[in-house]
Amino acid sequence: MPDTPPLSIAIVEDDVILREELGHFLQGMGHTVHELVSGTALDDIVQETTIDIVILDLNLPGESGFEIAQRYREDYPELGIIILSARTAPLDRIGSYEQGADIYIPKPCPPDELLAAIRSLARRVKPTQTTDSWQLDPIRHLLLNANGTITVQLLAVESSIVALLARAPKHQMSADDLCALTVENNSNRDTSEVITRRALENKISRLRKKFAQLAQNEPTLIRSVRGEGYQLCIPVNVLPDPGSKA
């Protein structure tokens, strides 16, 4: 079988033994695994790092797997979602897909079947990255791929965020620096207040979603880096402002 790139996988499962067994198995396959017990715990980890695939039980404390799948499919369209549940009634299977799951697997599940599902999803959530740079037009707030077949219309503040990350060392910047500099670099001043960390998080979440909807075969646009801030995941060339002095 073809190799699978290392993935960041969240297992949301309230059965401690099963959760630890799955975590140990997937870590042994080279993946980063986050073992969680609820949707709230998933929310916390997503604020700290990028998750590629989430494996969800349906019966969970608090939010059900259905509710979590629906919420995350809306907020993170590029996320891979696998439902792993002992509930095998047709309504449960159908409901899982209707709420946003990519794959439904009944328990008990052979490890090789789960691994095959992960490999299948990896082709979507971790596609082969292009070496061609995207182009950011900071005047018209347009993000265009190398051959011009994809155009993403950005808000001024979104354009500013992408430009800052594209110019930063390692294309990475702390959340505090982004909050402070986004307004300074936003020529349209479409916000009258300094951007808070929460507002920045929301703007980046919407930006990721917008990009993922229009550039479905591209990597995630921006990823969270635990303890560091945010990093741009695609090469972007910021076009010069024709009105600026050389």
Side-chain angles (χ1 to χ4, degrees):
M1 289 185 181
D3 292 335
T4 303
L7 300 167
S8 178
I9 301 174
I11 302 171
V12 188
E13 169 63 65
D14 62 349
D15 183 321
V16 177
I17 295 176
L18 177 59
R19 187 174 68 241
E20 290 180 350
E21 287 178 347
L22 291 175
H24 179 74
F25 171 70
L26 294 175
Q27 284 175 344
M29 301 306 296
H31 302 298
T32 300
V33 179
H34 307 273
E35 298 177 19
L36 311 168
V37 72
S38 67
T40 300
L42 179 61
D43 292 343
D44 290 340
I45 202 70
V46 165
Q47 301 310 315
E48 299 177 357
T49 190
T50 296
I51 299 296
D52 298 309
I53 293 176
V54 66
I55 300 172
L56 282 172
D57 188 15
L58 289 180
N59 295 326
L60 294 168
E63 272 187 302
S64 71
F66 286 134
E67 293 169 317
I68 297 171
Q70 181 184 41
R71 183 160 60 85
Y72 271 79
R73 177 55 68 222
E74 291 175 352
D75 292 342
Y76 303 95
E78 73 280 9
L79 181 70
I81 300 177
I82 297 173
I83 297 293
L84 182 62
S85 176
R87 291 168 55 175
T88 58
L91 284 177
D92 293 320
R93 291 172 178 267
I94 293 169
S96 295
Y97 288 115
E98 287 180 340
Q99 299 308 318
D102 294 290
I103 298 172
Y104 179 97
I105 302 176
K107 296 177 184 176
C109 169
D112 287 347
E113 182 180 353
L114 178 60
L115 192 59
I118 290 170
R119 282 175 171 149
S120 176
L121 277 183
R123 289 192 286 269
R124 177 171 67 80
V125 303
K126 283 282 188 180
T128 301
Q129 296 192 19
T130 176
T131 57
D132 294 327
S133 293
W134 284 64
Q135 305 291 323
L136 175 67
D137 182 335
I139 304 303
R140 296 185 296 161
H141 311 308
L142 294 177
L143 189 58
L144 307 96
N145 67 344
N147 58 17
T149 58
I150 302 175
T151 301
V152 184
Q153 179 67 63
L154 305 179
L155 298 176
V157 67
E158 294 170 340
S159 178
S160 177
I161 290 169
V162 173
L164 286 165
L165 289 172
R167 291 167 172 150
K170 298 181 180 179
H171 309 302
Q172 184 172 309
M173 187 173 286
S174 71
D176 287 342
D177 284 347
L178 275 174
C179 287
L181 294 173
T182 296
V183 174
E184 293 178 14
N185 285 272
N186 180 4
S187 60
N188 281 359
R189 293 290 195 271
D190 61 2
T191 179
S192 59
E193 299 178 357
V194 173
I195 294 178
T196 64
R197 289 177 69 111
R198 181 63 178 171
L200 176 68
E201 176 187 309
N202 290 335
K203 292 178 188 301
I204 289 178
S205 176
R206 288 194 293 268
L207 179 53
R208 285 173 177 155
K209 182 176 180 179
K210 179 189 294 185
F211 184 81
Q213 288 173 334
L214 293 173
Q216 297 179 0
N217 294 322
E218 292 291 327
T220 297
L221 177 63
I222 297 171
R223 73 182 185 98
S224 304
V225 181
R226 185 194 293 256
E228 297 293 336
Y230 295 95
Q231 184 176 48
L232 190 65
C233 299
I234 63 170
V236 174
N237 176 38
V238 183
L239 299 178
D241 181 348
S244 64
K245 296 181 180 180

